[in-house]
Amino acid sequence: MRLRNITGSREMIAASRYVVHEEQNCRGKWQEVFGNGRPIHIEIGMGKGKFIHTMARQHPENNYIGIEKYSSVLLRAVQKMEEEELPNLRFIRMEAEEILHVFAPGEVERIYLNFSDPWPKDRHAHRRLPSRQFLEKYDRILSPRGQLEFKTDNRGLFDFAVEELAPAGWEIRSITYDLHGDAGLMEGNVMTEYEEKFSAMGNPIYKYIIYREK
Ligand code: SAH
């Protein structure tokens, strides 16, 4: 998702109290940021933040961090927080590659990937957020019982993501090729912006929930 460059979005993000900045160096100290020891759930590539904002409102028992690389997009999530402030939600503007610098081993309880960029060219496979290169990083920040949930309407990306699991040593807890037709997995489902758009077009939504036994 790339919005036209909104003038001043970088400055507004730099000044926002909802955005945690690199120099604050929160690695290993996220409980202090939230002022409690509740589980930390993150969405990598959150876009405008509809999903994570709704999740945070529905689940005050967890803390949420939305990660997005583009300021112009992240700004929308910040604006949503200005309209409806939630104590258990924060944002970081960063590239997912840097994730090990931001979270300590075992600090994260759950990772959400929603409608990640497909990077269709083979030589860009390592940039796909469900690739084995990223799974290895996620494994290091997830707690022993942590899990990762991935949704997409892109069949090629989903098939690739499923093929990456065995070599990376992950197990499938649940998988569906039609999320919206699966009553069990739909329980508590919060639609993302892309999910609303693509399911309205008639596209099936694919989802897996994965974990690593440690
Ligand atoms: N999760 C949202 C948006 C999906 S679009 C939804 O489902 O509606 C994918 C988003 O991920 C875009 O906003 C893009 O800028 C962001 N993104 C893609 N690759 C990223 C990366 N490597 N690091 C951080 N954000 C990334």
Side-chain angles (χ1 to χ4, degrees):
M1 182 184 300
R2 195 159 199 175
L3 303 181
R4 86 198 135 76
N5 197 26
I6 298 169
T7 319
S9 60
R10 260 178 194 272
E11 291 75 7
M12 285 173 76
I13 281 159
S16 172
R17 62 186 184 285
Y18 307 126
V19 181
V20 178
H21 301 283
E22 217 175 314
E23 63 277 10
Q24 287 173 257
N25 193 11
C26 294
R27 188 173 186 269
K29 298 183 217 148
W30 283 100
Q31 296 196 341
E32 288 171 34
V33 172
F34 290 104
N36 62 57
R38 294 178 194 140
I40 294 186
H41 294 193
I42 68 176
E43 183 186 6
I44 306 177
M46 70 162 171
K48 295 187 242 169
K50 174 184 179 287
F51 169 84
I52 201 157
H53 195 274
T54 309
M55 290 295 284
R57 183 198 303 122
Q58 291 183 0
H59 297 279
E61 72 279 13
N62 299 321
N63 293 317
Y64 291 86
I65 302 170
I67 294 169
E68 169 55 50
K69 66 178 169 184
Y70 290 123
S71 320
S72 56
V73 184
L74 171 59
L75 183 63
R76 304 297 191 188
V78 168
Q79 287 167 336
K80 210 169 296 175
M81 269 282 263
E82 281 161 4
E83 286 161 24
E84 185 191 351
E85 190 173 297
L86 298 172
N88 60 334
L89 177 59
R90 290 291 180 277
F91 306 111
I92 313 175
R93 192 191 67 75
M94 66 175 239
E95 163 56 51
E97 278 286 341
E98 304 298 319
I99 200 108
L100 296 180
H101 301 301
V102 176
F103 297 101
E107 201 170 19
V108 175
E109 195 65 35
R110 189 172 301 177
I111 298 174
Y112 292 102
L113 303 177
N114 293 317
F115 296 79
S116 308
D117 295 350
W119 291 104
K121 294 194 176 112
D122 283 348
R123 69 188 154 87
H124 290 147
H126 65 283
R127 295 190 191 169
R128 298 173 191 153
L129 293 181
S131 67
R132 66 190 73 185
Q133 289 84 354
F134 274 104
L135 288 174
E136 197 183 316
K137 292 184 199 277
Y138 306 149
D139 182 41
R140 289 163 72 176
I141 61 169
L142 274 180
S143 74
R145 305 189 56 200
Q147 60 185 42
L148 183 152
E149 301 195 7
F150 171 50
K151 295 195 271 197
T152 183
D153 71 320
N154 186 312
R155 183 62 188 258
L157 179 65
F158 193 68
D159 288 344
F160 164 82
V162 170
E163 283 163 16
E164 291 293 86
L165 299 179
W170 291 67
E171 311 271 343
I172 294 179
R173 180 149 287 151
S174 313
I175 185 164
T176 176
Y177 289 80
D178 180 17
L179 173 62
H180 291 193
D182 184 316
L185 280 174
M186 272 307 270
E187 210 174 299
N189 184 59
V190 168
M191 293 239 260
T192 79
E193 281 132 12
Y194 276 46
E195 186 173 353
E196 276 184 350
K197 189 165 111 189
F198 293 121
S199 62
M201 287 164 60
N203 298 5
I205 306 299
Y206 314 116
K207 176 173 180 172
Y208 70 42
I209 301 176
I210 61 170
Y211 67 101
R212 281 197 77 159
E213 285 294 359
K214 287 181 195 163

